[in-house]
């Protein structure tokens, strides 16, 4: 797709996120440095929108999940070089594809991809720069490789049953279940290839059950929507919050998953995620109390960035 189209879509997505009350966005993969450039433009005031933490190109093995828009690299040295290259370009987080996924043709969703040693090389490079790491990880072997390598957040989680080792390690990290992503695909649409739906349907229920089991075991949960997957557009974090509540999280725990726990996972707890002296004063105001009704998140009455009311009309027209 042309760059003008991609930039237009990126600006539109920023607008949708802010209108939904989201004041910080973590990007976990975009083509052509798009999110890195948008993050810089927001930070320098050239465009108006939520703070963006970009990863640049998600790092994946040759032919691996997301290779169509990712940074292909193989072996310890290859991954170390790819990680350094993404950090050089401005990545604020590194994402690694530890397993296969449902939207890449010919790749089994839970299949092991990178080895523990390969992932450790990438994690080391990120941590040297004070950046956190995320792993797309769905099958148990890949999840264990990522956790043992020191990955900070596991995206999606087990499509196999957890074992004790995985749960014990995960208690010291973070799980981002992204329940809304498989739900959107499983609903089916003429816009989704049949083979993607066929790969997704068998894992929807086990994904929810495993997410619940992890939460019950004491694993920290962060609300992330995986926006951009089929039938899962930007600006719909509320659906993820609803699904977390349906899964069993209390309304207070849902709020924490979207704010303080998320900020800590991003290593930004001194800046965002709470209302304390010295923080950025990014906040959303709701007509109803979200500690009493999950539907309160449907539409914010107002959004503030760094203490100033966000004027959505100031966003670029798209």
């Amino acid at each position: 797709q042309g760059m003008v189209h991609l930039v237009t879509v990126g600006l539109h997505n920023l607008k949708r996120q802010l209108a939904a009350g989201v004041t910080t966005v973590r990007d976990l993969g975009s083509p052509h440095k798009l999110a890195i450039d948008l993050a810089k433009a927001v930070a320098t005031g050239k465009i108006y929108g939520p703070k963006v933490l970009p990863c640049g190109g998600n790092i994946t093995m040759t032919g691996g999940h997301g290779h169509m828009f990712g940074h292909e690299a193989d072996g310890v040295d290859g991954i170390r070089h790819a990680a350094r290259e993404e950090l050089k370009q401005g990545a604020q987080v590194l994402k690694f594809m530890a397993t296969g996924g449902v939207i890449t043709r010919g790749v089994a969703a839970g299949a092991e991809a990178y080895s523990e040693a390969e992932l450790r090389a990438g994690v080391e490079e990120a941590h040297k720069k004070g950046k956190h790491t995320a792993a797309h990880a769905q099958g148990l072997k890949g999840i264990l490789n990522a956790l043992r390598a020191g990955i900070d957040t596991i995206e999606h989680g087990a499509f196999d049953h957890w074992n004790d080792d995985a749960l014990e390690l995960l208690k010291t990290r973070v799980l981002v279940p992204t329940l809304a992503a498989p739900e959107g695909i499983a609903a089916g649409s003429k816009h989704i290839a049949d083979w993607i739906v066929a790969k997704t349907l068998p894992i929807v229920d086990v994904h929810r059950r495993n997410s619940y089991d992890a939460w019950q075991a004491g694993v920290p949960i962060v609300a992330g929507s995986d926006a951009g997957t089929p039938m899962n557009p930007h600006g719909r974090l509320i659906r993820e919050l609803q699904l977390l509540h349906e899964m069993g999280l209390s309304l207070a725990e849902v709020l924490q998953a979207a704010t303080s726990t998320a900020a800590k996972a991003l290593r930004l707890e001194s800046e965002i995620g709470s209302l304390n002296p010295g923080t950025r004063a990014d906040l959303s105001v709701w007509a109803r109390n979200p500690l009493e009704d999950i539907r309160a998140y449907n539409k914010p009455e107002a959004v503030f960035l760094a203490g100033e009311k966000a004027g959505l009309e100031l966003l670029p027209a798209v």
Side-chain angles (χ1 to χ4, degrees):
Q1 293 177 320
M3 278 304 299
V4 172
H5 172 76
L6 289 173
V7 170
T8 300
V9 170
L11 292 171
H12 179 67
N13 289 339
L14 284 178
K15 183 175 182 177
R16 287 179 63 94
Q17 292 285 10
L18 193 59
V22 176
T23 57
T24 296
V25 176
R26 181 181 61 160
D27 156 69
L28 288 184
S30 61
H32 309 298
K33 287 181 61 210
L34 175 64
I36 290 176
D37 290 338
L38 289 175
K40 291 177 180 176
V42 170
T44 57
K46 293 178 181 177
I47 61 174
Y48 192 72
K51 178 182 178 71
V52 180
L53 269 73
C55 85
N58 50 261
I59 298 174
T60 187
M61 70 180 194
T62 298
H65 179 52
H67 67 85
M68 310 83 70
F69 47 80
H71 186 154
E72 291 178 297
D74 302 297
V76 169
D77 290 341
I79 290 175
R80 197 177 295 279
H81 177 75
R84 289 174 177 175
E85 183 63 28
E86 293 300 335
L87 291 166
K88 173 187 173 183
Q89 296 293 334
Q92 299 300 309
V93 52
L94 293 184
K95 182 189 181 186
F96 303 91
M97 299 303 205
T99 70
V102 299
I103 64 170
T104 304
R105 184 185 287 275
V107 174
E112 181 182 7
Y114 283 137
S115 68
E116 179 184 339
E118 288 175 309
L119 290 167
R120 184 178 294 110
V123 170
E124 287 174 356
E125 294 305 316
H127 287 178
K128 281 187 215 174
K129 296 283 190 179
K131 310 301 182 185
H132 79 277
T133 56
H136 164 98
Q138 298 178 327
L140 186 58
K141 288 184 178 180
I143 289 170
L144 282 168
N145 286 342
L147 290 170
R148 289 167 178 163
I151 286 284
D152 299 297
T153 71
I154 295 293
E155 312 301 313
H156 317 307
F159 287 176
D160 307 313
H161 293 293
W162 303 109
N163 64 16
D164 291 342
D165 287 346
L167 285 176
E168 286 304 309
L169 285 168
L170 199 49
K171 288 178 189 178
T172 67
R173 316 296 168 75
V174 169
L175 174 64
V176 188
T178 67
L179 299 171
E183 179 191 61
I185 296 172
S189 165
K190 64 180 181 180
H191 302 294
I192 308 175
D194 290 343
W195 59 267
I196 295 178
V197 177
K199 288 171 70 175
T200 303
L201 287 174
I203 57 86
V204 174
D205 290 339
V206 69
H207 181 205
R208 292 186 181 184
R209 183 172 66 250
N210 285 330
S211 298
Y212 174 81
D213 289 344
W215 170 68
Q216 285 287 86
V219 173
I221 299 292
V222 162
S225 65
D226 202 24
T229 53
M231 307 309 294
N232 183 26
H234 287 261
R236 290 187 70 245
L237 183 63
I238 182 177
R239 183 56 189 151
E240 186 69 22
L241 301 182
Q242 290 170 337
L243 289 170
L244 289 175
H245 185 47
E246 291 173 12
M247 188 179 84
L249 272 67
S250 69
L251 290 171
E253 289 168 328
V254 168
L255 180 61
Q256 290 171 338
T259 54
S260 57
T261 308
K264 185 176 180 181
L266 302 182
R267 302 187 175 192
L268 291 175
E269 64 269 29
S270 65
E271 299 179 33
I272 60 173
S274 62
L275 296 177
N276 290 309
T279 57
R280 276 174 49 90
D282 289 349
L283 65 141
S284 297
V285 179
W286 312 90
R288 289 181 285 183
N289 186 350
L291 296 178
E292 297 176 353
D293 188 348
I294 193 69
R295 293 172 297 179
Y297 293 109
N298 191 42
K299 183 175 176 55
E301 292 289 297
V303 180
F304 291 81
L305 296 176
E308 295 189 7
K309 188 174 182 180
L312 298 181
E313 70 280 357
L314 298 179
L315 281 160
V318 292

